Amino acid sequence: MLRSSLRQVSAALKEGRVTPTELCQRCLALIKSTKFLNAYITVTEETALKQAEESEKRRKRGQPLGILDGIPIAVKDNFNTAGIETTCASNMLKGYISPYNATVVQKLLDQGAVLLGKTNLDEFAMGSGSTDGVFGPVRNPWSYSKQYKEKSVPKSHSEDEEYNWVITGGSSGGSAAAVSSFTCFAALGSDTGGSTRNPAAHCGVVGLKPTYGLISRHGLIPLVNSMDVPGILTRCVDDAAVLLGSLAGHDPKDSTTIQDDFKPFELPDLPDVSKLSIGIPKEYHAPGLSSEILSLWSKAADLFKNAGAKVVEVSLPHTRYSIVCYHVLCTAEVASNMARFDGLEYGHRSDVKDSTESMYAATRREGFNDVVRGRILSGNYFLLKQNYEKYFVKAQKVRRLIANDFGKVFGSGVDILLTPTTLSDAVPYTEFIQEDNRTRSAQDDILTQAANMAGLPAINVPTALSERGLPVGLQFIGRSFQEKQLLTVAKWFEKQVQFPVIQLEEAERHDNGVFQHQKSASFS
Amino acid sequence: MAAVLAMVARGCGGVWRRLRQRCAVRPGSGPFPRGERAVACNARGGMMSAGKSGLTPWIPVVGLEIHAQISSNSKLFSGSQVQFAAPPNSLVSFFDASLPGTLPVLNRRCVEAAVMTGLALNCHINKKSLFDRKHYFYADLPAGYQITQQRVPIAVNGSLSYSLCIDNKMSQMVTKTVRIKQIQLEQDSGKSLHDDARSQTLVDLNRAGVGLMELVMEPDMCCGEEAAAAVRELQLILQTLGSSQAVMAEGQLRVDANVSVHHPGEPYGVRTEVKNINSIRFLAKAVDYEIQRQIEELGNGGTISNETRAFDSKLGCTVPMRDKEGKQDYRFMPEPNLPPLILYDAKSLPANMNHQQVINIDWIRERLPDLPSVKREKLVEQYGILPEHSFTLLNEDGLPEFFENVVKQTQMKPKKVIGWILNDLLSYLKQHSLTVKESPVSSFLLADLLNLLEKKEISSTAAKQVLAELWKGKGKTPLETVKEQKLELLQDQKELEQICQAVIDGQENEVMAIKAGNQKVLNKLIGLVQKKTQGRSNPVLVKQLLEKKLSE
């Protein structure tokens, strides 16, 4: 049951095979027994059970609010949730309780979803490992899977688990781990440079970054306003389409959302890709790309070719400048966005009281980690009057060139781009922290951030297991606001690759196995 | 060389001491009482003589930066109400307090107000303007940045015409023009209250996020009087448009003055910025003080530094402000949460656009009310009143309408009505610090009274008596008052003749003088008759009767 897809469990709820309360209780129990993953910062047991109870009443009356009514979900802890702590995994907001719900959270609640808790992340979403938050790193559920355990060299048993666990990727690692370990049926992440797709790839789940402006950012604590999008993490592409349908659309509280009505869609059962043109951008054959992933990428291209699609090599010539420009634009907006955390209205306030300025300084030193402070510092440097033209304006110009690259390729008849999502599979934590956050982010966002620079929709689809028994995903990038086409292709691909289900002892123990047959159906 | 330097230094300090002493000794009157002024502002040329020394004259240059609070129900980017003097922090939305995750949503009304103002000031309206963030840390700026329009403001290249009188004579007015560089939309900050005793700062965010129009006036003015006249005209325009209430005392209109002086033919001098000016009268004082200070400073061999000074209204002088840690780098950045602000005109308006979503410049232009200058011209033309009277009328909110209402309801000629409005009504209101709206005498009552006068039912003396009674606001009509106090003109010719005779009989000396040819004395007799009749006699008739009797 817990391992089925959102659509399946919704059907089970509808048919009364399970009640929202039962479902909620089971998820909560699994969250407890997988606590070691550190996927959740806050578990909202009490309110979740209340919401489940309400849902149950509606279901009994035969008046559910829709497909999401009674479905347990999780939300990354950088979305505001009224009455529930919103920390951004930072000392700055530890204990901060927002008075309002982010628009996406409100939409989920309005449709009857049951909020289980807030998921872990890198502090203020700045990172690519979900290792740099004040609540500690998130552990990738696959570290504890039968598949990984079998393949990784067995040392002594205790050492094995303590030293070999791998990171989730980030920054939405908590959400990816939550979906991957079956503690919820869908989760919200955020995606600024790859923060949804990267952990999705490492955790073997679907991670959708919609087009910029399609989903409201109101209530998402920003990293880079001009690139942030709420991300969707689910077990399968169909579920991502369901979530997208319930979240997308104009929000009067976010002036950057598009005015046009969004029509929710269902994906065809038998998608056809034979008339499509799939672009393979050669620049994504980046230095450091593992040979394993390269060969998977190539096999994927062959799958399309064999299905009758046109597969063409394309060039996005400015790709190699993208990550440095992303760095300049990102830190500049970070410097600006973080200015509000001064300890006056909310959040942490230092005890230093010598002057207002010294209070600000101490508050920000105590409240932010090195990563955040470092980005603020470089961002302010780029925005200085004497540097503005040289860095910020130049980076914006290159950003335009990058967007134009995509425009040209799509203009030439290419429908969808196929690329790797990450350079390699997830690395063990002990290895990951050998490099600093900046270096890691530059490596890990390399294949994902260009879509954010151009505002395009992109999705990670779990593809196969690596030699070490860890998930590897591929990325599809589509035209602006052409989510339906993107998801259709992703669904077709998902069907072809038949990505294996994670074999997790804890999940198996909690699941009653009644719907085993349906579980397998969701991944075939 | 050493001697010169020492002298310069001494001279510099000397001036300062003297200025400060004057400030301290003559509070309120300003450091340069009229008689003592070494130079005077000259509205015609703007050149200032260097006083008795007869050296090269100085040319003062004055530019203004004005912040006008937009009159709107809600704030520039949030739905919070805008209200003056509400309880602290009672008008603060999540966005105003910069809670994480909140986003700005532009208020249409504020944009319309800025477009209206731009059009009224002959500006070019930019069909695409942009918003930027200006960063600095301050307790009453919760986001750590202000959203403003640094790169492309909503309106540019305008002008403002204003009039001022020469040598304080109302009859000699000149019209001048100051160029408007730009109008930009931006957020107001909150207010900080520093409690020094407890060494804490209290922050009120009611004002945080209220819409402002920043108007930048080019340095086209040369004295305090010009600056004051320009601001007064701007204030009237904003109030006419309704784009700002523009009450300086309530901070809805804030004026900073940039002042410098230079010799003719030389480049502009180093300028200072004078802040903390909260009335038009103080603006004139502050600017003139600063010009004078700079001239004296330079005349004594000193230099002017590019600094911010505050006007101290009690002392009537400007003093250096504590600088905020030297030069600030505001690290401007485009506001990523607001798309470019696009305005349309009749030509560019897309056919299928929802009208709620667009602002049409032409539509606003067609609906602009008459501006004060046009209103004045119309008043002069329509009613034949003097131009200076039209200025006085326009200076009071509601007075032109009051005047026109009286004119409509009376047979008295407008030229005569204006006297009653300006001399009687206005001076009474001023005396009692009342606005036109608060006047106890309505236009209807005043017209009623003037009709009695016009129909010669009462004398003008009696009319003033009635008016004095009407001010008390007891709800009586002029006619009732006339009857109660028996102020009707004596209609009985015989009675009047008898009174005249009695006066003549009692004033032998005066009668002798008149008969000897001194006609002026006749006025005294007329006055005596008026006195006897308690102002109820028609002076013209009395004069006729007296002349007739004296010639008998």
Side-chain angles (χ1 to χ4, degrees), chain A residues 15-49:
Chain A
E15 291 157 19
R17 283 180 282 149
V18 66
T19 68
T21 307
E22 269 178 89
L23 199 57
C24 180
Q25 281 166 339
R26 277 199 219 164
C27 286
L28 288 168
L30 186 53
I31 289 174
K32 271 180 202 157
S33 65
T34 55
K35 203 169 186 293
F36 59 90
L37 295 176
N38 203 17
Y40 289 80
I41 291 173
T42 307
V43 180
T44 51
E45 184 165 350
E46 222 173 286
T47 52
L49 286 169

Side-chain angles (χ1 to χ4, degrees), chain A residues 80 99-100 217 219-220 225 252-256 259 333 336-337 339-340 344-346 360 380 383-385 388 392, chain B residues 94 97-105 133 135 137-139 142-143 145 205 325 329 331-332 334 336-337 339 357:
Chain A
N80 281 279
Y100 75 99
R217 292 180 294 115
L220 165 61
N225 300 286
K253 289 176 181 152
D254 177 359
S255 310
T256 63
Q259 302 275 345
E333 282 201 39
S336 176
N337 287 332
R340 70 188 56 211
L344 285 186
E345 274 81 18
Y346 45 80
Y360 286 161
N380 276 323
L383 288 176
L384 285 177
K385 208 173 176 186
Y388 184 73
F392 189 84
Chain B
F94 301 152
S98 291
L99 294 197
T102 52
L103 299 169
V105 178
R133 292 180 178 181
H135 299 88
F137 282 107
Y138 206 73
Y145 57 82
L205 294 181
E325 300 158 28
D329 189 322
R331 292 156 287 133
F332 283 102
N337 294 320
Q357 297 288 340

Side-chain angles (χ1 to χ4, degrees), chain B residues 87-144:
Chain B
N89 294 312
S90 61
L91 309 171
V92 187
S93 70
F94 301 152
F95 175 79
D96 304 328
S98 291
L99 294 197
T102 52
L103 299 169
V105 178
L106 184 57
N107 180 344
R108 180 195 174 94
R109 156 70 192 160
C110 293
V111 177
E112 287 172 341
V115 171
M116 255 200 266
T117 308
L119 290 172
L121 296 175
N122 311 301
C123 289
H124 168 76
I125 307 292
N126 281 324
K127 287 195 192 132
K128 177 181 171 182
S129 60
L130 304 169
F131 290 98
D132 304 280
R133 292 180 178 181
K134 175 183 180 178
H135 299 88
Y136 60 96
F137 282 107
Y138 206 73
D140 53 28
L141 187 76

Side-chain angles (χ1 to χ4, degrees), chain B residues 72-220:
Chain B
S72 58
N73 294 329
S74 57
K75 296 182 181 180
L76 182 55
F77 297 121
S78 80
S80 314
Q81 254 194 303
V82 176
Q83 201 186 308
F84 182 68
N89 294 312
S90 61
L91 309 171
V92 187
S93 70
F94 301 152
F95 175 79
D96 304 328
S98 291
L99 294 197
T102 52
L103 299 169
V105 178
L106 184 57
N107 180 344
R108 180 195 174 94
R109 156 70 192 160
C110 293
V111 177
E112 287 172 341
V115 171
M116 255 200 266
T117 308
L119 290 172
L121 296 175
N122 311 301
C123 289
H124 168 76
I125 307 292
N126 281 324
K127 287 195 192 132
K128 177 181 171 182
S129 60
L130 304 169
F131 290 98
D132 304 280
R133 292 180 178 181
K134 175 183 180 178
H135 299 88
Y136 60 96
F137 282 107
Y138 206 73
D140 53 28
L141 187 76
Y145 57 82
Q146 175 199 35
I147 304 179
T148 177
Q149 293 195 299
Q150 188 233 357
R151 291 166 300 162
V152 188
I154 191 162
V156 291
N157 297 335
S159 64
L160 167 70
S161 290
Y162 61 96
S163 297
L164 70 165
C165 38
I166 299 168
D167 305 328
N168 256 340
K169 284 184 207 136
M170 276 302 274
S171 52
Q172 276 181 286
M173 300 200 79
V174 286
T175 299
K176 300 206 160 196
T177 300
V178 53
R179 289 166 299 153
I180 310 282
K181 184 170 177 248
Q182 64 182 57
I183 301 175
Q184 66 199 49
L185 280 167
E186 61 185 34
Q187 295 172 297
D188 209 340
S189 63
K191 280 181 185 168
S192 296
L193 262 166
H194 303 287
D195 181 347
D196 289 332
R198 271 178 265 179
S199 75
Q200 60 180 11
T201 299
L202 302 168
V203 180
D204 178 7
L205 294 181
N206 279 352
R207 205 182 65 179
V210 171
L212 293 178
M213 295 179 278
E214 181 181 321
L215 292 103
V216 183
M217 288 187 185
E218 299 280 11
D220 296 341

